[in-house]
Amino acid sequence: MSLFREVPLAAPVAVFKLTADFREDPAPNKVNLGVGAYRTDEGKPWVLPVVKKVEKMIAEDNSLNHEYLPILGLPEFRSSASKIALGEDSPAILEKRVGAVQCLGGTGALKIGAEFLRRWYNGNDNTKTPIYVSAPTWENHNAVFANAGFEDIRPYKYWDAQKRGLDLSGFLGDLESAPEYSIFVLHACAHNPTGTDPSHDEWKQIAEVMKVRFSLFAFFDSAYQGFASGNLEKDAWAVRFFVSQGFEILCAQSFSKNFGLYNERVGNLTVVAKDEDNVNRVLSQMEKIVRITWSNPPSQGARLVAITLTTPELFNEWKDNVKTMADRVLLMRAELKARLLSLGTPGTWEHITQQIGMFSFTGLNPKQVEYLVKEKHIYLMASGRINMCGLTTKNIDYVAESIHEAVTRVQ
Amino acid sequence: MTLRLANAENRLFNRLMQIPAPSSPLLRAPVCGVAPPALRGGERACGGGVVVAPVSVAVPLVALFRSSVVRLSSFCLQSSSVAVMALLKSSKIIPAIGSYGPVLGVLPLRASSWWSEVQMGPPDPILGVTEAFRRDTNPKKMNLGVGAYRDDQGKPYVLNCVRKAEAQIAAKKMDKEYLPIGGLGDFTKACAQLALGPDNEVLKSGRSVTVQTISGTGSLRVGANFLARFHNAARDVYLPKPSWGNHTPIFRDAGMQLKAYAYYDPKTCGFDFNGALDDISKIPEKSVILLHACAHNPTGVDPRPEQWKEMASVIKKRNLLVFFDMAYQGFASGDIDRDAWAVRHFIEQGHNVVLSQSFAKNMGLYGERVGGFTVVCKDTEEAKRVESQLKILIRPMYSNPPMNGARIASTILATPELYKEWLVEVKSMADRIIKMREMLVSNLKKEGSTHNWQHVTDQIGMFCFTGLKPEQVECLINEYSVYMTKDGRISMAGVTSGNVAYLAHAIHAATK
C-alpha cells in the first residue's frame, strides 16, 4: 500500500492555469492578459538589450567560474541592489546600518524575511503574530507567510471597489486597530493586483500612524522599482520615506520585472536596522535560515545585475531599457482608456490611467470576466486584473470592444 | 513630572507611566534594568518603546491607541530624549495639555532596535574553515575544508562540456520567461534518466515525478517539507552516523525528528556493516531512512554491492521509506551507472524511493544551483497528485527555479557529443581524486608512517575521514596551515601532486 495514497490532488495555481488554458486555445484572436511578465508591442518576451550585452561579457570572461557564492550571496550584488532601493547616498547606508541577503527572486526574499521574523521578531515564536496583507494582494503572500509558520494572516483594507481607488481611511483604521507587534506587508509601488498606490501624502499618513503605534512593523515588497513610473527614485519614494523617518524595515526586492530576468531568480532582501551591530546579528541569523533552505543562491543573475548596476554606462542603458518598458505600459493605459471613453462604455475609466505598473484592476465582475474568457478568448484573472503588457497596438481595439460588450451585455 | 489631565486622559497617561498588570501576557519583564535574555511574547528590553522627556514646560504627550502600552524606566526618564506627539485623530489629543502638531521628522521612532535580542549566529563549521584559511599567510597553506573540486593546480575547474553547452545556449538566444514551478521539463526528464537509467521501468511507466530544485540542499528541503506534510505515518528520519552536517537542521526545520543508525566504524575507518544492519533492523516501521547513494559524506565509506543488497532486504522487511541523497553520481567511481547502482537496485527490489540529486560536483555547476527531487510512486495517478503537492510547497519558497544551470545540464545530458565528453571529464575528476589518495598513502609510507592508511584508498569520493583526532587536527591547522574540519575530514579535491608530499609530512608529524 502506498505511503502516498492519501495525498490529495492540489488545485493548480490560478495564474499559471490561465496561461495554460490560453496556450491551448486555438482562437486566432486570443489575448493573454494574465501572468505578470512584460511583452513587447509584438506580444513577445523582451530580453533587455543591456542584459544581452552583459551576458556576452560574462560568457567571454574566462576568469569567471561556477563556484559557490557565499551563503548570503554575491557581495557586489547585495550592496548595489540595496543602493537601488534606498538611494546611493542614503544616510542609512552611510551609517552602515543596511544589510542584504541575495535571494531567489522576490518570492525568495519574502520567504527568508518571513522565516526570520517568525523566529526573531517579537520573541522567538511569532507563529501567533498577526501578518497583515492588503485586500487584495498578490496571491502568494498568504502562502509565503503561512508556510513560514504564521497562523494569523489578515487583510487590511486597501481597495475600494466602489470608487475604484485606495480605501485610505479603512487602511488607517486597520493600522490603528491592529494588535501590537503586527507585521504589515506594504507594496512599495505598483500595487499588485490593483495598480493603486498611496500618494505621497497618503504614505505620510500611513507612516504617521505606524510611528505613533510604534509596535507595528513594515515589510516592504518591492517588485516593480523603475517599472512603475519609469523612474527608479520615484518608485522607491515610499521605502526611502519610511527609512528617513527612522523605521527599521525589511524590503524584499525583485529584479524579475525591471531587469526582465524572470527565470534567473534574482532577488534581494534589504535590512535596515538601527545600527551596524543589529544588522550583523540579523544577517547571521538569516544566513542560518538560507543554509537550510537553498544553501547559497544562484550565480548568473546576480552577476548580471551587479555588473550592470556598478558600471555607469551599463547602468544608464539599463535605466533607459526600464523606461522603455514603463512607457509602453503607460501608452497602453492611455490608449485603452481613450477607446473605452470613445465607445461610451458605461462606468468610469479614470482608474486605467491613474493606476500604475503592470496591472490594472478593471472593476469587471466575475461574470464579465467569464464572458471575456469564454466568448472573446481574452484571458484575465477572475478578479478582473489585467496585465497591461498583454495589450498591443494590434489587439487593443479588440480588447476595448470586448470590454465594452462585457460591460453592456453582462451584469 | 507635573501634569494635570482630564480624568479620561489621565487613565490613558497612567497606562503609559505604569508598570502594567502582571496578567498581561505582553508584559512580564521588569520595567527597569536589564531585560531577561530569553524574551517571549511582547516583552521588550527596557527603552524599547517610547521615551518621554522630563521637560517641565511643554511636555509632549504620548497619546496611544487602545491597546498599546509603553513601559518606562528611570533610565528612560532621565535621558534627554524626545517624545512622540499626539495622534492625528483629534479625538485622542488630550486637550488639557493643548494641541501640538505632529513633529514627526525630528523624532526617532523607537529608542532601541527590533533586533536587540537577536543573537549572533554561530559561524558555519565548514565555511568557517575556509575563512580561517583565507586569513592564513603561510605560503604552504592547504584548504581541505569545503567540498569543491580543484584541478591539479588547485584551481576551480569549469568543465569543457559546460563551456560548450553555454556557447550553444547563448547562440540560441532564448528568452528569460519564468520556468514552470516544477522546473525545466527537459532537465527534469534527463535528471531522472541519469539516476534511474533510461530503460528503467519506473520512467517507462511514468510512475515517478521529478522536480527541479535548488541543487542538493533545495532538493532535500523540498523532500523534507513534503514528508513532513504528507508522511503522517512517522516523524522520524534516520541518518547514518555521521552524516553531512546540514542534513540534521534541514529535516528538523521541516518538522521531522532526527535519529541515527550506526554507519562508520572508527576502529577500521570503514563501514560498520553489522552495526548498521543491527540498528536498521530495529527501526520502527514506516520511518524514513536516509541513505547516501555513493561517496558518503563525510566518511567516503560506501557499502559494497553485497552489503547494499542485504540492507535493501532488511529495509524492505522493516517497511521503511527510503530517502536517497545522491550528490556525487559519476564523481565517486568515475562511472555514472556504478555510482547509481544502489538507487537502481532498491527500486528494482520494489522500494518506492524518494531521491535528491545534485549537479554541483559532477558538472561543476556549484553556484548555478542545479538539482532534482524525485518521488517514485505507485502509478501515474499518484505521481500526478504528488507533483501537484510538490508545486504547492515550492511556490511559497521561491516560486520557480533558476534557469541557467538547468539549461546547461539538460543541454549536456541531451546532446550525445557533450554527454560523452561529460562522462570523460567526470571520470577524469574522479581519477585525479583516486590518484591523490594513492599518492597520499605512498607519501605517508615514504615519511615512515607505520599507521595503517588503507582507508584512504578504500574510501571513495571527494572526502576522506582520516581518523585524525581533534588534537591532531589542531596541530595540522596551527602548525602546518593544513585546514580541515574538526572531525578529521579532508577534501581530497584540495590535494594536488604539488602539495601531497607536504600533506603527508604534516599528517605524519601529527600522528607519529
Side-chain angles (χ1 to χ4, degrees), chain B residues 375-416:
Chain B
V375 182
V376 178
C377 300
K378 191 174 117 232
D379 50 38
T380 52
E381 187 268 338
E382 183 173 280
K384 280 264 161 310
R385 283 184 282 115
V386 168
E387 183 182 20
S388 72
Q389 294 296 345
L390 289 173
K391 289 185 197 171
I392 298 287
L393 282 168
I394 290 170
R395 170 80 167 151
M397 268 200 232
Y398 51 84
S399 272
N400 40 72
M403 167 64 98
N404 197 45
R407 234 178 214 158
I408 295 170
S410 72
T411 301
I412 291 170
L413 294 172
T415 313

CSV table of all heavy atoms in Angstrom, one decimal, chain B residues 375-416:
chain,number,residue,atom,x,y,z
B,375,VAL,N,10.2,11.5,-6.7
B,375,VAL,CA,9.4,10.6,-5.9
B,375,VAL,C,8.9,9.5,-6.8
B,375,VAL,O,8.2,9.7,-7.8
B,375,VAL,CB,8.1,11.3,-5.2
B,375,VAL,CG1,7.4,10.4,-4.4
B,375,VAL,CG2,8.6,12.5,-4.5
B,376,VAL,N,9.3,8.3,-6.4
B,376,VAL,CA,8.8,7.1,-7.1
B,376,VAL,C,7.5,6.7,-6.5
B,376,VAL,O,7.4,6.4,-5.3
B,376,VAL,CB,9.8,5.9,-7.1
B,376,VAL,CG1,9.2,4.7,-7.8
B,376,VAL,CG2,11.1,6.4,-7.7
B,377,CYS,N,6.4,6.7,-7.3
B,377,CYS,CA,5.1,6.4,-6.8
B,377,CYS,C,4.5,5.1,-7.3
B,377,CYS,O,5.2,4.3,-8.0
B,377,CYS,CB,4.1,7.5,-7.3
B,377,CYS,SG,4.7,9.2,-6.8
B,378,LYS,N,3.3,4.8,-6.8
B,378,LYS,CA,2.7,3.6,-7.1
B,378,LYS,C,2.3,3.5,-8.6
B,378,LYS,O,2.5,2.5,-9.3
B,378,LYS,CB,1.4,3.4,-6.3
B,378,LYS,CG,0.8,2.0,-6.3
B,378,LYS,CD,-0.3,1.9,-5.3
B,378,LYS,CE,-1.6,1.7,-6.1
B,378,LYS,NZ,-2.7,2.6,-5.7
B,379,ASP,N,1.8,4.6,-9.1
B,379,ASP,CA,1.3,4.7,-10.5
B,379,ASP,C,1.3,6.1,-11.0
B,379,ASP,O,1.6,7.1,-10.2
B,379,ASP,CB,-0.1,4.1,-10.6
B,379,ASP,CG,-1.1,4.6,-9.6
B,379,ASP,OD1,-1.0,5.8,-9.4
B,379,ASP,OD2,-1.9,3.9,-9.1
B,380,THR,N,0.9,6.4,-12.2
B,380,THR,CA,0.9,7.7,-12.8
B,380,THR,C,-0.1,8.6,-12.1
B,380,THR,O,0.2,9.8,-11.9
B,380,THR,CB,0.6,7.7,-14.3
B,380,THR,OG1,-0.6,7.0,-14.5
B,380,THR,CG2,1.7,7.1,-15.1
B,381,GLU,N,-1.2,8.1,-11.6
B,381,GLU,CA,-2.2,8.9,-11.0
B,381,GLU,C,-1.7,9.5,-9.7
B,381,GLU,O,-1.8,10.7,-9.4
B,381,GLU,CB,-3.5,8.1,-10.7
B,381,GLU,CG,-4.7,8.8,-10.2
B,381,GLU,CD,-4.7,8.8,-8.7
B,381,GLU,OE1,-4.1,7.9,-8.1
B,381,GLU,OE2,-5.4,9.8,-8.1
B,382,GLU,N,-1.0,8.6,-8.9
B,382,GLU,CA,-0.4,9.1,-7.7
B,382,GLU,C,0.7,10.1,-7.9
B,382,GLU,O,0.8,11.1,-7.2
B,382,GLU,CB,0.2,7.9,-6.9
B,382,GLU,CG,0.7,8.3,-5.5
B,382,GLU,CD,1.1,7.1,-4.7
B,382,GLU,OE1,0.2,6.5,-4.1
B,382,GLU,OE2,2.3,6.7,-4.7
B,383,ALA,N,1.5,9.8,-9.0
B,383,ALA,CA,2.6,10.7,-9.4
B,383,ALA,C,2.0,12.1,-9.6
B,383,ALA,O,2.6,13.1,-9.3
B,383,ALA,CB,3.3,10.2,-10.6
B,384,LYS,N,0.8,12.2,-10.3
B,384,LYS,CA,0.2,13.5,-10.6
B,384,LYS,C,-0.1,14.2,-9.3
B,384,LYS,O,0.0,15.4,-9.2
B,384,LYS,CB,-1.1,13.3,-11.4
B,384,LYS,CG,-0.8,13.0,-12.9
B,384,LYS,CD,-1.0,14.3,-13.7
B,384,LYS,CE,-0.3,14.3,-15.0
B,384,LYS,NZ,1.0,13.8,-15.1
B,385,ARG,N,-0.7,13.4,-8.4
B,385,ARG,CA,-1.1,14.1,-7.1
B,385,ARG,C,0.1,14.6,-6.4
B,385,ARG,O,0.1,15.7,-5.8
B,385,ARG,CB,-1.9,13.1,-6.2
B,385,ARG,CG,-3.3,12.8,-6.7
B,385,ARG,CD,-4.1,11.9,-5.7
B,385,ARG,NE,-3.8,10.5,-5.9
B,385,ARG,CZ,-3.3,9.7,-5.0
B,385,ARG,NH1,-2.9,10.2,-3.8
B,385,ARG,NH2,-3.0,8.5,-5.3
B,386,VAL,N,1.1,13.7,-6.3
B,386,VAL,CA,2.4,14.1,-5.6
B,386,VAL,C,3.0,15.4,-6.3
B,386,VAL,O,3.4,16.3,-5.6
B,386,VAL,CB,3.4,13.0,-5.6
B,386,VAL,CG1,4.7,13.4,-5.1
B,386,VAL,CG2,2.9,11.8,-4.7
B,387,GLU,N,3.0,15.4,-7.6
B,387,GLU,CA,3.6,16.5,-8.3
B,387,GLU,C,2.8,17.8,-7.9
B,387,GLU,O,3.4,18.8,-7.7
B,387,GLU,CB,3.5,16.3,-9.8
B,387,GLU,CG,4.1,17.4,-10.6
B,387,GLU,CD,4.0,17.2,-12.1
B,387,GLU,OE1,3.2,16.4,-12.5
B,387,GLU,OE2,4.8,17.8,-12.8
B,388,SER,N,1.5,17.7,-7.9
B,388,SER,CA,0.7,18.9,-7.6
B,388,SER,C,1.1,19.5,-6.2
B,388,SER,O,1.1,20.7,-6.0
B,388,SER,CB,-0.8,18.6,-7.7
B,388,SER,OG,-1.2,17.8,-6.6
B,389,GLN,N,1.3,18.6,-5.3
B,389,GLN,CA,1.6,19.0,-3.9
B,389,GLN,C,3.1,19.5,-3.8
B,389,GLN,O,3.4,20.4,-3.0
B,389,GLN,CB,1.4,17.8,-2.9
B,389,GLN,CG,0.0,17.4,-2.8
B,389,GLN,CD,-0.9,18.5,-2.2
B,389,GLN,OE1,-0.4,19.5,-1.7
B,389,GLN,NE2,-2.2,18.3,-2.3
B,390,LEU,N,4.0,19.0,-4.6
B,390,LEU,CA,5.3,19.5,-4.6
B,390,LEU,C,5.3,20.9,-5.1
B,390,LEU,O,6.0,21.8,-4.5
B,390,LEU,CB,6.3,18.6,-5.5
B,390,LEU,CG,6.6,17.2,-4.9
B,390,LEU,CD1,7.3,16.4,-6.0
B,390,LEU,CD2,7.4,17.3,-3.6
B,391,LYS,N,4.5,21.2,-6.1
B,391,LYS,CA,4.4,22.6,-6.6
B,391,LYS,C,3.9,23.5,-5.5
B,391,LYS,O,4.3,24.7,-5.4
B,391,LYS,CB,3.5,22.7,-7.8
B,391,LYS,CG,4.1,22.0,-9.0
B,391,LYS,CD,3.1,22.3,-10.2
B,391,LYS,CE,3.4,21.4,-11.3
B,391,LYS,NZ,2.3,21.5,-12.3
B,392,ILE,N,2.9,23.0,-4.7
B,392,ILE,CA,2.3,23.8,-3.7
B,392,ILE,C,3.4,24.1,-2.6
B,392,ILE,O,3.3,25.2,-2.0
B,392,ILE,CB,1.1,23.1,-3.0
B,392,ILE,CG1,0.0,22.9,-4.0
B,392,ILE,CG2,0.6,23.9,-1.8
B,392,ILE,CD1,-0.7,24.1,-4.4
B,393,LEU,N,4.3,23.3,-2.4
B,393,LEU,CA,5.4,23.5,-1.5
B,393,LEU,C,6.4,24.5,-2.0
B,393,LEU,O,7.0,25.3,-1.3
B,393,LEU,CB,6.1,22.2,-1.1
B,393,LEU,CG,5.4,21.3,-0.1
B,393,LEU,CD1,6.0,19.9,-0.1
B,393,LEU,CD2,5.4,21.9,1.2
B,394,ILE,N,6.7,24.4,-3.3
B,394,ILE,CA,7.8,25.2,-3.9
B,394,ILE,C,7.4,26.6,-4.1
B,394,ILE,O,8.1,27.5,-3.9
B,394,ILE,CB,8.2,24.5,-5.3
B,394,ILE,CG1,8.9,23.2,-5.0
B,394,ILE,CG2,9.1,25.5,-6.1
B,394,ILE,CD1,9.2,22.4,-6.3
B,395,ARG,N,6.1,26.8,-4.5
B,395,ARG,CA,5.7,28.2,-4.9
B,395,ARG,C,5.9,29.2,-3.8
B,395,ARG,O,6.4,30.3,-4.1
B,395,ARG,CB,4.2,28.1,-5.3
B,395,ARG,CG,3.5,29.4,-5.5
B,395,ARG,CD,3.7,30.1,-6.8
B,395,ARG,NE,2.8,31.2,-7.1
B,395,ARG,CZ,3.0,32.3,-7.8
B,395,ARG,NH1,4.2,32.4,-8.3
B,395,ARG,NH2,2.1,33.2,-7.9
B,396,PRO,N,5.6,28.9,-2.5
B,396,PRO,CA,5.9,29.9,-1.5
B,396,PRO,C,7.3,30.0,-1.0
B,396,PRO,O,7.6,30.8,-0.1
B,396,PRO,CB,5.0,29.5,-0.3
B,396,PRO,CG,4.5,28.1,-0.6
B,396,PRO,CD,4.9,27.7,-2.0
B,397,MET,N,8.2,29.1,-1.5
B,397,MET,CA,9.6,29.2,-1.2
B,397,MET,C,10.3,30.1,-2.1
B,397,MET,O,11.1,30.9,-1.6
B,397,MET,CB,10.2,27.8,-1.3
B,397,MET,CG,10.2,27.0,0.0
B,397,MET,SD,11.4,25.7,-0.2
B,397,MET,CE,10.4,24.3,0.2
B,398,TYR,N,10.2,29.9,-3.4
B,398,TYR,CA,10.9,30.7,-4.3
B,398,TYR,C,10.2,30.8,-5.7
B,398,TYR,O,10.8,31.2,-6.7
B,398,TYR,CB,12.4,30.2,-4.5
B,398,TYR,CG,12.5,28.7,-4.8
B,398,TYR,CD1,12.4,28.3,-6.1
B,398,TYR,CD2,12.7,27.8,-3.8
B,398,TYR,CE1,12.4,26.9,-6.4
B,398,TYR,CE2,12.8,26.5,-4.0
B,398,TYR,CZ,12.7,26.0,-5.3
B,398,TYR,OH,12.7,24.7,-5.6
B,399,SER,N,9.0,30.4,-5.7
B,399,SER,CA,8.1,30.4,-6.9
B,399,SER,C,8.5,29.4,-8.0
B,399,SER,O,7.6,28.6,-8.4
B,399,SER,CB,8.1,31.8,-7.5
B,399,SER,OG,7.0,32.6,-6.9
B,400,ASN,N,9.7,29.5,-8.5
B,400,ASN,CA,10.1,28.6,-9.6
B,400,ASN,C,11.6,28.7,-9.7
B,400,ASN,O,12.2,29.6,-9.2
B,400,ASN,CB,9.5,29.1,-11.0
B,400,ASN,CG,9.5,30.6,-11.2
B,400,ASN,OD1,10.5,31.2,-11.4
B,400,ASN,ND2,8.3,31.1,-11.1
B,401,PRO,N,12.3,27.7,-10.2
B,401,PRO,CA,13.7,27.6,-10.0
B,401,PRO,C,14.5,28.3,-11.1
B,401,PRO,O,14.0,28.8,-12.1
B,401,PRO,CB,14.0,26.1,-10.2
B,401,PRO,CG,12.9,25.6,-11.1
B,401,PRO,CD,11.7,26.5,-10.9
B,402,PRO,N,15.8,28.5,-10.9
B,402,PRO,CA,16.6,29.3,-11.8
B,402,PRO,C,17.0,28.5,-13.1
B,402,PRO,O,17.2,27.3,-13.0
B,402,PRO,CB,17.9,29.6,-11.0
B,402,PRO,CG,18.0,28.6,-10.0
B,402,PRO,CD,16.6,28.1,-9.7
B,403,MET,N,17.0,29.2,-14.2
B,403,MET,CA,17.1,28.6,-15.5
B,403,MET,C,18.5,28.2,-15.9
B,403,MET,O,18.8,27.1,-16.4
B,403,MET,CB,16.6,29.6,-16.5
B,403,MET,CG,16.9,29.2,-17.9
B,403,MET,SD,16.2,27.6,-18.4
B,403,MET,CE,14.8,28.3,-19.3
B,404,ASN,N,19.5,29.1,-15.6
B,404,ASN,CA,20.8,28.9,-16.2
B,404,ASN,C,21.4,27.6,-16.1
B,404,ASN,O,21.8,26.9,-17.1
B,404,ASN,CB,21.7,30.0,-15.6
B,404,ASN,CG,23.0,30.2,-16.5
B,404,ASN,OD1,22.9,30.3,-17.7
B,404,ASN,ND2,24.1,30.2,-15.9
B,405,GLY,N,21.6,27.1,-14.9
B,405,GLY,CA,22.3,25.8,-14.6
B,405,GLY,C,21.5,24.6,-15.2
B,405,GLY,O,22.1,23.7,-15.8
B,406,ALA,N,20.2,24.7,-15.1
B,406,ALA,CA,19.3,23.6,-15.6
B,406,ALA,C,19.4,23.5,-17.1
B,406,ALA,O,19.5,22.4,-17.6
B,406,ALA,CB,17.9,23.8,-15.2
B,407,ARG,N,19.5,24.6,-17.8
B,407,ARG,CA,19.7,24.6,-19.2
B,407,ARG,C,21.0,24.0,-19.6
B,407,ARG,O,21.1,23.2,-20.5
B,407,ARG,CB,19.6,26.0,-19.8
B,407,ARG,CG,18.6,26.1,-20.8
B,407,ARG,CD,18.4,27.5,-21.4
B,407,ARG,NE,17.0,27.8,-21.7
B,407,ARG,CZ,16.5,29.0,-21.8
B,407,ARG,NH1,17.2,30.0,-21.6
B,407,ARG,NH2,15.2,29.1,-22.2
B,408,ILE,N,22.1,24.4,-18.9
B,408,ILE,CA,23.4,23.8,-19.1
B,408,ILE,C,23.4,22.3,-18.9
B,408,ILE,O,23.8,21.5,-19.8
B,408,ILE,CB,24.5,24.4,-18.2
B,408,ILE,CG1,24.6,25.9,-18.5
B,408,ILE,CG2,25.8,23.7,-18.4
B,408,ILE,CD1,25.5,26.7,-17.5
B,409,ALA,N,22.8,21.9,-17.8
B,409,ALA,CA,22.8,20.4,-17.5
B,409,ALA,C,22.0,19.7,-18.5
B,409,ALA,O,22.4,18.6,-19.0
B,409,ALA,CB,22.3,20.2,-16.1
B,410,SER,N,20.8,20.2,-18.9
B,410,SER,CA,20.0,19.4,-19.8
B,410,SER,C,20.6,19.4,-21.2
B,410,SER,O,20.5,18.4,-21.9
B,410,SER,CB,18.5,19.9,-19.8
B,410,SER,OG,18.5,21.2,-20.5
B,411,THR,N,21.3,20.5,-21.6
B,411,THR,CA,21.9,20.5,-22.9
B,411,THR,C,23.0,19.4,-22.9
B,411,THR,O,23.1,18.7,-23.9
B,411,THR,CB,22.6,21.9,-23.1
B,411,THR,OG1,21.6,22.9,-23.1
B,411,THR,CG2,23.3,21.9,-24.5
B,412,ILE,N,23.8,19.3,-21.9
B,412,ILE,CA,24.8,18.3,-21.8
B,412,ILE,C,24.2,16.9,-21.9
B,412,ILE,O,24.7,16.0,-22.6
B,412,ILE,CB,25.7,18.4,-20.5
B,412,ILE,CG1,26.5,19.7,-20.6
B,412,ILE,CG2,26.6,17.2,-20.3
B,412,ILE,CD1,27.2,20.1,-19.3
B,413,LEU,N,23.2,16.7,-21.0
B,413,LEU,CA,22.6,15.3,-21.0
B,413,LEU,C,21.9,14.9,-22.2
B,413,LEU,O,21.8,13.7,-22.6
B,413,LEU,CB,21.6,15.3,-19.8
B,413,LEU,CG,22.3,15.4,-18.4
B,413,LEU,CD1,21.2,15.5,-17.3
B,413,LEU,CD2,23.2,14.2,-18.1
B,414,ALA,N,21.4,15.9,-23.0
B,414,ALA,CA,20.6,15.6,-24.2
B,414,ALA,C,21.4,15.6,-25.5
B,414,ALA,O,20.9,15.2,-26.5
B,414,ALA,CB,19.4,16.5,-24.3
B,415,THR,N,22.7,16.1,-25.4
B,415,THR,CA,23.5,16.2,-26.7
B,415,THR,C,24.5,15.2,-26.6
B,415,THR,O,25.5,15.3,-25.8
B,415,THR,CB,24.1,17.6,-26.8
B,415,THR,OG1,23.2,18.6,-26.5
B,415,THR,CG2,24.7,17.8,-28.2
B,416,PRO,N,24.4,14.1,-27.5
B,416,PRO,CA,25.3,13.0,-27.4
B,416,PRO,C,26.8,13.3,-27.3
B,416,PRO,O,27.5,12.8,-26.4
B,416,PRO,CB,25.0,12.2,-28.7
B,416,PRO,CG,23.6,12.5,-29.0
B,416,PRO,CD,23.4,14.0,-28.6
